[in-house]
Amino acid sequence: MVQLFDKQTGVPLGSITDDQLQFMMDRLEEESSRDDDYYLNRTTVDFLESEGADPAFIETLRRALGDREETEIRWTRS
């Protein structure tokens, strides 16, 4: 499992599968091969949904955004 956290506050946001992480990694920009964070906004989540992301994964990302328009998340394997 992969744990997601709010990068700024460290608050846990939920867990996703390795496949869901790979889906995101394949579609979003990484600064390096050791990158463990992503910038998210509503457009990005909509894009991932249009690309066929798992509905549970999309729901986790939408919860991570909450009322905000954008956020940064980081991930760790558990």
Side-chain angles (χ1 to χ4, degrees):
M1 282 305 241
V2 177
Q3 298 297 318
L4 298 180
F5 299 89
D6 183 296
K7 185 176 178 182
Q8 189 173 35
T9 66
V11 171
L13 300 171
S15 60
I16 61 173
T17 67
D18 287 328
D19 288 343
Q20 291 166 334
L21 175 63
Q22 190 60 55
F23 183 91
M24 183 168 56
M25 292 171 86
D26 289 345
R27 286 159 180 83
L28 299 182
E29 182 178 331
E30 294 180 325
E31 295 173 3
S32 74
S33 62
R34 295 177 159 240
D35 208 6
D36 67 351
D37 61 346
Y38 289 98
Y39 165 82
L40 288 181
N41 61 28
R42 296 192 186 284
T43 302
T44 303
V45 176
D46 290 345
F47 166 73
L48 292 171
E49 184 175 38
S50 75
E51 288 286 301
D54 179 277
F57 174 51
I58 294 299
E59 180 59 31
T60 300
L61 296 180
R62 287 202 168 115
R63 274 195 322 269
L65 278 171
D67 293 337
R68 300 174 288 188
E69 288 298 316
E70 60 187 33
T71 192
E72 284 191 76
I73 60 171
R74 69 176 179 83
W75 60 271
T76 61
R77 292 197 196 289
S78 58

